[in-house]
Amino acid sequence: MSHKEIPDAAIEQVAKHINSRSNKNYGIPVVGNDSNVETPQVFEIIPFDQIDNSERRFYAVDGSYNSEQFYNGLSIGIYAAGYVCFKEGKQIRVNQLDDPVILGKAYYPENILVAAPNDLLSIYDELLDLEPVKKLLSFWNVLDDPSKAFAYSRETICTNLSTLLSFCQEVLELALVFEIASLEDTKPGDFILRDGTLRPIQIKQEYSVQIGKYVSSKNIRILAITKQSPIKMELSYTFKQIDTYLQDQLKPNYQFSAKDPKRQKLCCWFEVPEVVLESAYRGGGMFIKKDIRGGRGFGLFLVARLDYVEKLQNYDWVVIDMNIFDAIPGIEQKELARNRAMLESTTRELTRLTQEHYILGYPYPLAEAHNFISLKRNFKEQLISRLKYSLYKDQRMDHVEIENLFLDMHDRF
């Protein structure tokens, strides 16, 4: 059978859409105004030789899930979440293991086999019985009926394996945020970093907001950071204009404290205006709302450039979802003044994490957390290999029968 190519018209339409969105001019000036945080706020990066001179702990939380379905209806699905911690530039232990290499803490389920619909319900129930999740449910006061805190019913979540695993990952990640904030070793001023946003779609806002308020009350900074976001496409033109101004006009005249020209870097951040959010998340009014009611989660979107890699331009920029209780201290009283000093100090502190890793401009604890917890394809292959071995060694099954169980019919096409 000949291969059916995608029509040229479809490709051209996509190219036209991308070009249009990535060249929008939202009128954001390149020269910032201190009184308007929706304009560029420029600062000098923390000097490289000082980045480890801090007593703060930088935690990073991440999660992952993966699954495999076989021709006979048998499925294996697994989710995981965990965290790592860095202090003074070094990873420190957060688990009780004796392993000299694994210093992070992770949670995995025991129920990973799906042979019938009821197995999905078992995976759901096991999640709610994990210690960090039980503590979070107790904090929410919903131990008697956890579904009160969730956006969807147990039956809806367990409709299919992918939806269930995504739910499990999201809930477990939030539970770990609560766990970290409650640790005796976590002190005021410490950071908790997440990948993505602070807007969980599986949790009702009134409950996720409680986490943001709790963490803020302990003077712990929680923020989510990502390099992948539709916000970046909408602001692509703006980023290029700001980068050009900072590098070509402002930098030559800036009074740097760093004397080495190679270390003279200007960083920048600003709050994302509503008009940009509306274009980036079309139809996502709840997701983009800058409030703790009638929306999703407890975040406030900023964009920031926390390092500079010449010629890559908007690759340097990240999207930060800041805890709205930190960014807008009077949010509960509808007082919308931004805490500019806190936003400035937080973004500057992040530059301690963005200068010495294989992804410049991106906090390395998040990269380490991702590598620590990610369930990649080779993980599935390893899992299946171990399962096959156990079926042969412990269950005494025939080798051919085992191979037939895990046959992938698509490999035969």
Side-chain angles (χ1 to χ4, degrees):
M1 182 181 294
S2 62
H3 175 65
K4 175 64 176 177
E5 291 189 356
I6 300 174
D8 289 342
I11 298 296
E12 292 170 3
Q13 187 66 26
V14 172
K16 180 180 178 181
H17 176 81
I18 292 173
N19 180 61
S20 174
R21 291 186 66 182
S22 61
N23 283 286
K24 283 186 180 179
N25 182 359
Y26 285 96
I28 298 174
V30 296
V31 180
N33 184 332
D34 287 349
S35 63
N36 181 4
V37 295
E38 291 186 352
T39 64
Q41 308 298 309
V42 179
F43 63 96
E44 182 180 357
I45 202 167
I46 291 179
F48 182 77
D49 58 358
Q50 299 177 24
I51 58 176
D52 295 333
N53 299 341
S54 173
E55 290 294 315
R56 296 182 191 272
R57 289 176 178 238
F58 294 95
Y59 294 91
V61 180
D62 200 8
S64 182
Y65 72 87
N66 218 326
S67 63
E68 188 76 39
Q69 183 175 4
F70 303 94
Y71 81 100
N72 52 18
L74 184 70
S75 297
I76 294 176
I78 187 169
Y79 64 90
Y83 57 92
V84 296
C85 182
F86 287 81
K87 183 179 180 182
E88 297 177 334
K90 298 179 181 179
Q91 187 175 358
I92 60 176
R93 184 176 297 279
V94 291
N95 61 44
Q96 303 298 319
L97 305 176
D98 294 328
D99 194 303
V101 176
I102 300 176
L103 304 180
K105 189 172 185 179
Y107 292 87
Y108 299 89
E110 292 187 8
N111 291 319
I112 63 174
L113 175 66
V114 179
N118 283 343
D119 293 329
L120 297 174
L121 299 176
S122 297
I123 293 174
Y124 178 98
D125 293 338
E126 183 189 8
L127 169 76
L128 303 187
D129 203 43
L130 291 176
E131 195 60 31
V133 176
K134 285 199 298 184
K135 289 181 178 179
L136 178 59
L137 296 177
S138 178
F139 169 72
W140 283 336
N141 196 27
V142 296
L143 271 175
D144 58 327
D145 185 8
S147 64
K148 293 178 182 177
F150 303 144
Y152 305 99
S153 67
R154 178 173 178 257
E155 290 70 26
T156 300
I157 293 168
C158 295
T159 299
N160 59 67
L161 183 57
S162 178
T163 300
L164 173 60
L165 294 177
S166 175
F167 166 82
C168 292
Q169 176 191 332
E170 188 168 89
V171 173
L172 183 53
E173 282 190 45
L174 274 186
L176 295 186
V177 168
F178 180 74
E179 175 175 293
I180 293 169
S182 303
L183 293 174
E184 290 185 5
D185 290 335
T186 306
K187 306 299 181 185
D190 289 347
F191 277 51
I192 303 175
L193 309 178
R194 282 197 66 196
D195 182 43
T197 72
L198 299 179
R199 302 154 199 259
I201 61 173
Q202 304 285 358
I203 311 297
K204 292 179 181 177
Q205 187 180 29
E206 63 180 290
Y207 292 96
S208 62
V209 159
Q210 292 179 33
I211 298 177
K213 185 176 180 180
Y214 173 73
V215 175
S216 180
S217 70
K218 303 192 73 170
N219 196 26
I220 299 167
R221 308 270 177 90
I222 177 173
L223 51 153
I225 300 176
T226 182
K227 275 184 170 289
Q228 298 180 336
S229 170
I231 293 173
K232 293 189 67 174
M233 179 172 285
E234 293 296 325
L235 289 174
S236 179
Y237 173 85
T238 301
F239 291 158
K240 286 185 286 187
Q241 301 306 307
I242 294 174
D243 281 342
T244 299
Y245 167 71
L246 295 182
Q247 191 69 8
D248 297 342
Q249 298 183 48
L250 184 58
K251 183 177 178 180
N253 302 308
Y254 195 86
Q255 299 299 310
F256 287 96
S257 60
K259 303 308 178 186
D260 183 355
K262 295 181 180 179
R263 297 297 178 188
Q264 293 178 346
K265 297 180 180 181
L266 292 176
C267 300
C268 179
W269 65 270
F270 62 92
E271 180 183 334
V272 182
E274 286 189 12
V275 63
V276 176
L277 295 175
E278 289 169 357
S279 294
Y281 298 99
R282 300 178 184 184
M286 289 181 63
F287 192 77
I288 67 177
K289 195 168 185 180
K290 298 181 179 184
D291 204 342
I292 56 175
R293 297 179 184 86
R296 291 285 187 193
F298 54 98
L300 182 74
F301 278 127
L302 311 178
V303 288
R305 195 189 75 182
L306 303 173
D307 203 317
Y308 190 83
V309 185
E310 291 192 39
K311 306 301 181 185
L312 294 180
Q313 294 192 339
N314 70 5
Y315 176 87
D316 299 344
W317 290 80
V318 295
V319 177
I320 301 176
D321 210 10
M322 192 78 69
N323 187 351
I324 200 167
F325 288 96
D326 293 334
I328 312 177
I331 187 66
E332 290 184 289
Q333 294 76 39
K334 298 294 183 180
E335 297 174 3
L336 303 183
R338 273 50 171 174
N339 186 344
R340 187 188 183 285
M342 187 283 305
L343 296 173
E344 177 75 35
S345 66
T346 299
T347 50
R348 189 170 189 272
E349 279 297 295
L350 285 175
T351 67
R352 295 186 185 277
L353 313 174
T354 59
Q355 300 184 54
E356 54 172 355
H357 207 264
Y358 46 85
I359 308 178
L360 288 175
Y362 183 80
Y364 67 79
L366 277 174
E368 294 296 338
H370 176 78
N371 291 333
F372 170 57
I373 208 69
S374 180
L375 299 173
K376 299 178 182 177
R377 182 166 183 82
N378 63 343
F379 182 91
K380 289 195 297 181
E381 293 171 352
Q382 182 187 53
L383 182 68
I384 293 171
S385 295
R386 290 175 58 193
L387 185 54
K388 287 180 178 179
Y389 179 73
S390 179
L391 288 170
Y392 180 79
K393 176 176 177 292
D394 302 321
Q395 306 301 319
R396 307 296 184 186
M397 285 183 64
D398 179 75
H399 174 70
V400 174
E401 184 179 358
I402 294 172
E403 289 300 321
N404 283 335
L405 278 173
F406 297 98
L407 178 67
D408 187 347
M409 294 299 290
H410 291 94
D411 288 344
R412 302 295 179 92
F413 295 166

